[in-house]
Every structure is written in C-alpha cells, then in structure tokens.
Amino acid sequence: MVKRIIGYLALASLLTSLLLIGLLLRKPPLPDAARDPEAAQRFTEKVARLTLAHEQGIPSEIRLTEAEINSQIEEGLKAHPPPAGDATVKGATVRLEGEKLVAVLAMNVKGQDVYVTVGGNLNFANRAIKLVPSEVRIGSLPVPVSWVESKIDMHMELPEGITGVRIEDSELVVQAD
C-alpha cells in the first residue's frame, strides 16, 4: 500500500513538473504590435527635432508610437546584436496600453527559445527611465513579481535635457527643455 502511494506521488510530481516546463517553454500570445516600414525613419526624425530644439533652448516634446519604438528596437538589434552567452535576446516587442508598457522579450536560453513578458509603468527620475514591473510571465506561466523583481533591471539613461517621459494615450511622450 505504501509503495502504491509513493508511486502515485512520484507520478503526480512528474506530471506537475512536465506541466510547469511546458508552460515555461510555451510561446505566449504575442502582442499585436504595430509595424510600419517608415516608422524607424520617423523615430529618427522626431529625436533629431527634439535634439535640435534642446540645442536652441526651445522646450519641446515628441510623441512616439508603438510602431516607431518597435522599429527602432528591431533596427538596434540588427545593428548591435547582443553578445552570445547563456541567454541571448533575439527580439523584443513593446506594446503601449493606455499608460502601461508591456514588453515581450524573445530569448534563447542555452539553446531553448523562451519568452519573457514584463508589464508595468515607467518611472522617470534623474534623466533615466525605469520599468517598474506589475506583471511577469515566463512563457505562459505567471510569475510573482516579488520573485523576479531584483533580477529585472529594465532602465535606460537618457541624454541631457530630457525633462520627462511618460506614456499617454498609448504613446510615449518625451519632453526636453
């Protein structure tokens, strides 16, 4: 009888482990992020306008769309591929939902494709923006933010003159003085 119970427990443990591995490696529904062939060029032009206005001492703001941000990320990954290692970012997609940002990172971890989804709000302080996560998923498996919060460091230093960054009406708004 004891052997039978141990056998059932071992089988349940194995099935649970397989289910968790399946959820971790399962490709999540990817956000329907806008793509546009001219978006990378518009991104560059908007940033150039912002830079020129700052150099002339004119306060200004630009509004970046999802398509412009995703095109720039794609161009950046093509121009500067991440170094090979145990975990390599293959691609990233950003979705702006109201005042929230959701990033899906396609990664290769030791030869296995893994998708990490991080959603949250942007925090702007001291010329840097940081994504403060409110949701995290690995594959299709939700992960408590507290488990991975110290490992997620999605921040970016910004050039001098940037006075604000926020998400408004599903656009990234960048202000400069």
Side-chain angles (χ1 to χ4, degrees):
M1 182 70 155
V2 173
K3 285 184 180 182
R4 185 175 279 180
I5 292 173
I6 291 173
Y8 287 135
L9 288 175
L11 180 60
S13 176
L14 175 65
L15 292 175
T16 302
S17 297
L18 290 173
L19 176 65
L20 286 174
I21 290 170
L23 288 173
L24 286 171
L25 298 178
R26 183 173 171 220
K27 185 175 182 178
L30 298 176
D32 185 26
R35 299 257 189 244
D36 179 351
E38 292 86 32
Q41 181 63 32
R42 285 195 313 272
F43 181 98
T44 304
E45 290 169 359
K46 288 179 180 182
V47 170
R49 275 197 322 263
L50 187 72
T51 302
L52 182 63
H54 170 67
E55 290 171 355
Q56 295 174 346
I58 303 169
S60 64
E61 121 180 340
I62 58 172
R63 298 176 92 67
L64 299 169
T65 67
E66 258 179 36
E68 293 163 346
I69 295 166
N70 285 316
S71 295
Q72 189 63 29
I73 291 170
E74 195 173 295
E75 294 289 320
L77 284 172
K78 284 180 188 173
H80 308 287
D86 289 341
T88 305
V89 176
K90 294 177 13 177
T93 303
V94 169
R95 179 99 179 125
L96 302 174
E97 300 173 352
E99 296 179 0
K100 182 178 171 185
L101 182 140
V102 177
V104 178
L105 304 172
M107 304 176 71
N108 187 289
V109 179
K110 295 188 178 191
Q112 185 66 46
D113 289 340
V114 177
Y115 295 85
V116 178
T117 305
V118 180
N121 296 307
L122 290 182
N123 182 10
F124 175 78
N126 301 322
R127 286 191 16 240
I129 55 173
K130 178 178 176 134
L131 178 62
V132 179
S134 58
E135 67 173 294
V136 178
R137 283 189 309 252
I138 300 175
S140 294
L141 183 68
V143 178
V145 173
S146 61
W147 288 7
V148 294
E149 199 167 24
S150 65
K151 304 288 184 216
I152 297 174
D153 186 17
M154 297 180 84
H155 78 280
M156 180 187 327
E157 299 293 322
L158 298 173
E160 190 174 323
I162 302 297
T163 57
V165 177
R166 67 184 185 284
I167 299 171
E168 183 179 278
D169 299 326
S170 298
E171 292 182 317
L172 185 67
V173 180
V174 181
Q175 299 170 305
D177 61 0

